[in-house]
Amino acid sequence: MNESKSIGDFGPADPDSRLWGKSAGLPGPYPVICHLLDTAAVAGSLWDAVLSERVRERIAGAMGVTEFEARETVMLWAGLHDIGKISLHFQQQVAEEFAKVVGDPAYAEDNPAAKRSGYLRHETATHWGLVEFFKQCGYPLRKPVKKSPAHQIAQLLGGHHGCFAPTLQVKEINNPSGYQPGLGTAGGWRDQRLAHAHAVRRTVGAEKPLEWVLPGELAVVVAGLVVVADWLASQVDVIEPRMPAEGWKAGDAELAEHFEAAAKATPRWVREAGLGRAAFPDKRFSQQFPFPPNKLQADVVEHLSAVVKGPGLLLVTAPTGDGKTETALHAASAMARASGASGVYFALPTMATADAMFTRVRRFAEQNIEGDRALTLLHSMAWLSPDYAPGEGATDGTAVLADTEAGQWLRTGRRGLLAPLANGTIDQALTGVLPVRYGFLRLFGLSNKVLVVDEAHAYGPWMHSLLVRMLEWLGAFGAPVVLLSATLTGKAASSLVDAYRRGAGFREPTTVEPCYPGWLFVDAGSGAVSEPREVGSSRARTLRVETRQVYWDVRDQDAAKKPGRQGRREALREILAPVTTEGGCVLVCCTTVDEAQRTYRYLQSVLPELAAREGGLRLLHSRFPAHERQRITAECEAAYGKPANDAAAGVPREGSILVATQIVEQSLDLDFDLIVSDLAPLAQLLQRAGRGKRHERPNRPAWTGKPAEPRLIVLEPLDDKGRVAAPRTWGTVYDASLLRRSSLLLEKQSGGAVEVPGDVQRLVDEVYADDFGAELEKAASAELERMDAERIASAAAEEQMAEITRIPAPYDVVDDLSLLSERSFAVSDDLLTTRLGADSGRAVCVFEREDGWSLAPDHDVPLPTAAANREDIALIMRHTVPLPGRWLAGRTDENAVPKAWSGRPLLADLALLRMHCDGDRWTGLLGERQLVYSNVGISEN
């Protein structure tokens, strides 16, 4: 068969209405042509309602046409996305409908290869089947193929199910059904693909061909818009009222009528889905917040407008508690107005910090944002949070709330970042630069938002490398970015700034030296980096740091006294004794969950009166069931959070100790009279110190020091040779080199006084200095060099892993969209999720009681083995607990979940821990590992 002939050589130019496109959940088949026209109409409404004027102008400019013509062209492309359903393999899926055409000679297959070839997915058929159509329409087909608009748009539309296929070869383009018999080798299949495509073009318009391939970032925007249009047009409640009558024919008049009706309805479909553009009215800071700006905020308010003329990146560095959140929200509004951005995503490092920030973002949105302002919360457990109100059936990891409440559509699947406003964890954004299915949809969701990244210093080499790549894409999109950090090195700041500039088209590197506290702005239009502005702090103070070198007797077997050395237990008992008699709130920050649990038990034994009083001794870490952790976190925020008013601040607090892990060091607004921390890298120590004397309280206990001088006591572990070194129990939580450097730097700090903010940037940079060991003795310098080499090698390995894992930069995918979906042979889903999820999984404890298995140890909460509805799934997930991946790797059949759970994505991967009563605790096996459930959470026996 000669496939180079035009459609006119093969008979009818009208689409065959017997060819179906949708059937699931419908009373009958819905013709392909109807779905194609519906999707084209939705794309037009998305163009109008979602894309900003700046984005529309960029797309039209890249096409070399007017905005109206660009709109028509994008509608045409969207209307072609399911052309691949006009193929033998797809139509065979519904036998009853296939029987209507199988006897037609146009579709009769006499090629055995068409029947025995492997199943051809319809999106792949779209890619293979559209190049000829675009060539007929005047889209150039050049050599190499990847330089051809005819192929690029076919490849783009073939990616509408989340993955882009490799570039086709010339021989494959010239004979598609020869290489893909599943397209159908009978002439009618090819005829009808072309008939449908030309009918869509006649109905929609779009006469001008695309002369040059789209830039990578604009191709991603168009691909994202096509996916969303398809999803909206595929809703059963959208299709049912539009089902054509029996005997309907797809003539030009009928198609025009169908399309016109769709075009009238689609604005409502878009609006009801919660999609659109947020608007950011020009308000003074004092109108946005119920307090006057501090020095940092006032400086940004006064001077940012002078440098923001369009898209750009704002880097804000300031101590914990200096109002960076309010600074970011005010700046995001100003940057959105200047750039035409139509939304905000506030990204945080953890689920706990995202939950805590959500109410602040929601409050700001309700009072200061207009237009379309549906707000989603994005992380894997968000829909379980008690403060949120997920709709019926929302079991996918998103939640919404209040006046800014998003509809059910945005709560489903991968759609949360499509909302105009969103708040969640950073991994929700960074997944967009990994080669995962629908990763490009996340990029589309961020392409015209202001991305606010809190705690930009808090990520290791792997996550930092992903953030660098994300900033390259955002620079290419022209999407504004706000980076917030309390402890960011100059080197790290330069890498982030340069990434954004590269994406915007400026390849030459810069050297950034952040002011602390202060800010700088990078203009995406010119690549210019403003002179960093140093601002005074409204909370300048002296941090008193005391180090105590102790032998590590956290475990009972290590508790024997060592002559001449104080143990950690004795040190804690001595430091914390005044809490019982003189009051005060103290944070004890431990390195691991196990050590936090052991520390809590030890303090229970030596401070029994405090432990017996409600709230006297608390424990917070990640290894509690979800509902318990939520309860404890809420109690901590009530007990140690910001006072509601001056009267509340003046009430002395009863003595209380919170034993916690590093989950308290980021974004939670907690205020303690004293911080006690195990040794950690300097940046983390400064973060923890930011929880000390954070708010004005006139009645702090005298034993904790001066009211305006926070106090940090660092417990430094000693090895058997009396050297500061991480205990083996810490594993690889912290790098040994950074611990040694931090210890030596604190030792050198004059009088144990750290001026905040004056000394912070110097210390943060100095801990990474290349010549750090120059003044050490020869042996100590050599040991540090060895540790540094291990740290550098480890960082290089993580960076290399990120390099082979992450998608290319936007300027490297302009010719081949498959690079967005291509993985190295060594990259698996497990590897990607492990790297982003910190090598953990979830388990659920079930307790053996008289009436059967219960989700609660002290009363009956029957295990819903059927998990038949949303309420059952929510109940189970509220009782799950995160556990290390190495623990879960040993699971056995004993830990298998009920069979009915296997069809539930959230439940299928859980491990079941069958717990049996053992006195005042419960024990169970995870593989061969015996675990204990008690008042300190899950622990090893």
Side-chain angles (χ1 to χ4, degrees):
M1 183 175 75
N2 182 358
E3 296 196 24
S4 64
K5 294 181 181 179
S6 70
I7 184 173
D9 297 321
F10 285 103
D14 286 346
D16 187 341
S17 60
R18 296 174 300 174
L19 298 173
W20 65 277
K22 297 287 181 181
S23 65
L26 297 173
Y30 193 56
V32 176
I33 188 62
C34 294
H35 176 60
L36 297 182
L37 292 176
D38 291 347
T39 306
V42 176
S45 291
L46 290 171
W47 175 280
D48 298 336
V50 175
L51 298 190
S52 70
E53 182 178 354
R54 179 179 60 83
V55 175
R56 295 196 297 261
E57 288 176 354
R58 285 194 66 191
I59 294 174
M63 293 181 178
V65 298
T66 66
E67 279 191 47
F68 178 80
E69 292 169 327
R71 180 181 186 271
E72 281 190 335
T73 300
V74 170
M75 291 170 66
L76 167 66
W77 294 346
L80 300 174
H81 75 287
D82 266 352
I83 283 292
K85 289 184 174 179
I86 306 168
S87 59
L88 172 65
H89 282 182
F90 182 85
Q91 292 296 317
Q92 284 177 333
Q93 290 184 87
V94 177
E96 182 180 350
E97 299 307 315
F98 186 61
K100 297 176 182 178
V101 300
V102 70
D104 190 324
Y107 305 114
E109 289 292 342
D110 57 6
N111 185 344
K115 299 177 181 178
R116 67 171 180 260
S117 62
Y119 178 70
L120 177 68
R121 293 183 62 88
H122 77 268
E123 64 270 24
T124 304
T126 291
H127 181 184
W128 283 71
L130 273 179
V131 179
E132 181 183 4
F133 165 75
F134 284 124
K135 186 179 177 182
Q136 289 181 359
C137 294
Y139 289 54
L141 184 61
R142 303 186 175 99
K143 292 184 179 180
V145 170
K146 64 183 182 179
K147 299 287 186 182
S148 306
H151 178 271
Q152 186 199 38
I153 305 306
Q155 184 186 46
L156 183 155
L157 297 176
H160 74 270
H161 273 244
C163 292
F164 299 105
T167 301
L168 299 180
Q169 300 179 45
V170 173
K171 62 182 181 180
E172 295 169 327
I173 291 173
N174 289 336
N175 185 21
S177 64
Y179 288 90
Q180 293 284 7
L183 286 165
T185 58
W189 299 110
R190 178 251 183 184
D191 285 357
Q192 279 300 315
R193 285 193 293 273
L194 292 173
H196 277 68
H198 282 288
V200 173
R201 190 184 190 203
R202 289 195 305 272
T203 306
V204 173
E207 294 299 320
K208 288 190 177 181
L210 181 67
E211 296 290 342
W212 302 98
V213 293
L214 294 175
E217 66 276 10
L218 295 184
V220 163
V221 170
V222 173
L225 186 144
V226 170
V227 169
V228 176
D230 179 30
W231 286 353
L232 287 174
S234 297
Q235 299 172 101
V236 169
D237 60 347
V238 161
I239 295 174
E240 274 193 300
R242 301 178 49 72
M243 299 280 290
E246 187 75 24
W248 181 81
K249 299 295 183 183
D252 282 358
E254 289 84 358
L255 296 181
E257 181 182 6
H258 184 92
F259 180 69
E260 183 179 349
K264 290 180 180 178
T266 52
R268 174 173 56 82
W269 303 348
V270 172
R271 185 171 58 253
E272 289 177 350
L275 300 172
R277 296 192 296 269
F280 299 83
D282 190 358
K283 288 188 174 184
R284 297 189 303 273
F285 188 93
S286 58
Q287 293 175 304
Q288 293 175 319
F289 303 101
F291 48 80
N294 61 23
K295 290 183 179 180
L296 171 66
Q297 295 159 348
D299 197 82
V300 170
V301 167
E302 182 177 356
H303 298 287
L304 182 62
S305 59
V307 294
V308 176
K309 305 303 179 186
L313 179 147
L314 174 67
L315 172 62
V316 179
T317 51
T320 300
D322 259 25
K324 292 191 293 295
T325 297
E326 291 77 14
T327 303
L329 291 170
H330 175 83
S333 298
M335 294 166 71
R337 287 194 302 274
S339 66
S342 55
V344 172
Y345 181 55
F346 208 116
L348 297 110
T350 66
M351 291 189 288
T353 55
D355 286 345
M357 188 62 69
F358 184 83
T359 54
R360 299 170 72 180
V361 173
R362 182 190 63 193
R363 188 183 315 116
F364 180 85
E366 291 171 345
Q367 298 173 358
N368 299 289
I369 297 178
E370 298 174 353
D372 302 300
R373 53 181 189 170
L375 172 64
T376 54
L377 174 65
L378 301 177
H379 61 70
S380 61
M381 299 290 285
W383 65 286
L384 291 175
S385 300
D387 294 335
Y388 311 143
E392 182 65 28
T395 59
D396 52 82
T398 61
V400 292
L401 194 64
D403 167 49
T404 48
E405 184 173 357
Q408 175 62 33
W409 193 87
L410 282 170
R411 302 172 187 167
T412 306
R414 303 170 175 90
R415 302 169 185 171
L417 274 174
L418 300 174
L421 307 174
N423 174 94
T425 49
I426 185 67
D427 63 284
Q428 295 289 325
L430 296 185
T431 302
V433 294
L434 291 172
V436 298
R437 193 175 178 214
Y438 289 111
F440 67 86
L441 192 65
R442 295 175 188 264
L443 291 176
F444 172 63
L446 294 168
S447 63
N448 200 45
K449 285 185 174 67
V450 183
L451 174 66
V452 180
V453 179
D454 199 8
E455 314 284 4
H457 57 273
Y459 311 112
W462 156 265
M463 295 281 276
H464 181 85
S465 295
L466 297 186
L467 181 57
V468 163
R469 182 52 43 86
M470 174 58 73
L471 291 175
E472 288 180 299
W473 277 92
L474 295 175
F477 288 132
V481 176
V482 180
L483 301 178
L484 307 176
S485 177
T487 51
L488 190 67
T489 66
K491 182 179 180 181
S494 294
S495 69
L496 298 175
V497 165
D498 281 345
Y500 188 79
R501 293 178 71 255
R502 282 195 303 274
F506 304 94
R507 304 293 182 86
E508 72 282 1
T510 59
T511 300
V512 174
E513 296 181 0
C515 293
Y516 193 88
W519 60 275
L520 60 83
F521 182 77
V522 183
D523 183 79
S526 66
V529 181
S530 71
E531 189 70 24
R533 286 192 60 83
E534 184 171 2
V535 300
S537 174
S538 299
R539 301 175 65 252
R541 51 199 181 148
T542 300
L543 169 64
R544 296 295 176 184
V545 182
E546 174 187 342
T547 60
R548 294 200 184 188
Q549 297 185 349
V550 296
Y551 67 86
W552 218 246
D553 58 354
V554 178
R555 299 182 303 175
D556 291 341
Q557 59 264 44
D558 299 325
K561 291 189 176 181
K562 297 185 179 180
R565 291 291 185 186
Q566 186 180 43
R568 181 178 182 272
R569 293 186 173 193
E570 183 182 348
L572 283 174
R573 184 173 185 174
E574 177 183 304
I575 293 166
L576 301 174
V579 176
T580 302
T581 56
E582 300 178 50
C585 294
V586 180
L587 169 65
V588 178
C589 199
C590 305
T591 302
T592 68
V593 172
D594 178 71
E595 292 193 348
Q597 292 169 328
R598 293 176 185 274
T599 298
Y600 176 84
R601 287 197 183 103
Y602 170 71
L603 294 178
Q604 275 186 312
S605 68
V606 298
L607 301 174
E609 293 182 9
L610 191 71
R613 182 170 51 76
E614 184 176 356
L617 184 62
R618 292 186 173 92
L619 176 65
L620 176 61
H621 55 71
S622 61
R623 214 174 293 160
F624 282 107
H627 69 97
E628 274 292 289
R629 179 171 169 179
Q630 289 168 353
R631 178 188 62 79
I632 297 168
T633 300
E635 288 181 1
C636 289
E637 289 177 323
Y640 312 119
K642 185 177 182 178
N645 48 49
D646 291 344
V651 177
R653 296 186 289 183
E654 287 190 287
S656 179
I657 298 170
L658 172 63
V659 179
T661 56
Q662 54 265 46
I663 62 174
V664 297
E665 74 188 28
Q666 295 171 338
S667 296
L668 293 177
D669 189 3
L670 304 181
D671 174 21
F672 297 92
D673 301 307
L674 172 68
I675 309 294
V676 181
S677 174
D678 293 339
L679 179 63
L682 184 69
Q684 276 95 327
L685 291 176
L686 292 173
Q687 282 285 106
R688 295 169 192 181
R691 272 64 192 159
K693 299 181 178 175
R694 186 179 176 99
H695 300 298
E696 290 292 330
R697 294 184 186 272
N699 294 311
R700 295 190 187 272
W703 70 274
T704 63
K706 296 180 180 179
E709 292 186 354
R711 185 177 166 207
L712 169 67
I713 299 177
V714 180
L715 303 178
E716 298 187 326
L718 297 175
D719 62 15
D720 292 338
K721 297 180 180 179
R723 300 173 305 183
V724 174
R728 286 192 301 272
T729 53
W730 288 9
T732 58
V733 174
Y734 297 129
D735 179 83
S737 165
L738 291 182
L739 291 178
R740 178 67 59 86
R741 284 169 170 253
S742 298
S743 175
L744 292 170
L745 200 56
L746 290 176
E747 185 181 331
K748 291 195 304 182
Q749 191 64 20
S750 176
V754 175
E755 298 302 324
V756 180
D759 291 337
V760 172
Q761 191 64 52
R762 173 183 61 81
L763 291 172
V764 169
D765 286 331
E766 191 173 337
V767 80
Y768 287 95
D770 293 337
D771 60 350
F772 186 92
E775 298 178 4
L776 299 178
E777 294 179 358
K778 186 176 181 179
S781 179
E783 177 67 5
L784 184 62
E785 285 183 12
R786 181 191 64 78
M787 292 180 173
D788 286 344
E790 291 179 357
R791 170 173 57 86
I792 293 169
S794 175
E798 289 202 38
E799 289 166 359
Q800 180 62 25
M801 178 60 71
E803 183 58 36
I804 67 173
T805 302
R806 63 188 182 177
I807 65 173
Y811 40 79
D812 289 329
V813 300
V814 63
D815 296 328
D816 186 3
L817 296 176
S818 70
L819 297 175
L820 297 175
S821 305
E822 188 176 79
R823 295 186 186 179
S824 161
F825 69 91
V827 178
S828 64
D829 286 334
D830 286 344
L831 183 145
L832 297 180
T833 55
T834 294
R835 301 297 293 187
L836 280 178
D839 191 21
S840 66
R842 302 191 78 85
V844 59
C845 295
V846 293
F847 302 91
E848 187 179 38
R849 296 179 59 81
E850 291 182 1
D851 297 329
W853 295 101
S854 170
L855 287 170
D858 53 357
H859 59 285
D860 286 329
V861 180
L863 178 68
T865 54
N869 52 48
R870 180 190 180 280
E871 288 71 25
D872 286 348
I873 297 173
L875 178 66
I876 295 165
M877 293 303 294
R878 277 196 293 270
H879 287 80
T880 59
V881 58
L883 296 178
R886 67 182 186 278
W887 291 12
L888 293 165
R891 70 174 80 182
T892 65
D893 290 344
E894 178 73 9
N895 306 119
V897 298
K899 288 184 178 180
W901 295 12
S902 60
R904 303 285 187 176
L906 285 172
L907 306 181
D909 292 331
L910 295 178
L912 201 69
L913 300 182
R914 301 176 187 274
M915 311 301 286
H916 307 276
C917 187
D918 182 12
D920 61 350
R921 63 180 194 166
W922 296 78
T923 62
L925 290 176
L926 180 54
E928 296 182 358
R929 191 185 300 267
Q930 187 173 54
L931 301 182
V932 176
Y933 180 93
S934 66
N935 65 329
V936 299
I938 296 284
S939 57
E940 282 194 273
N941 194 14

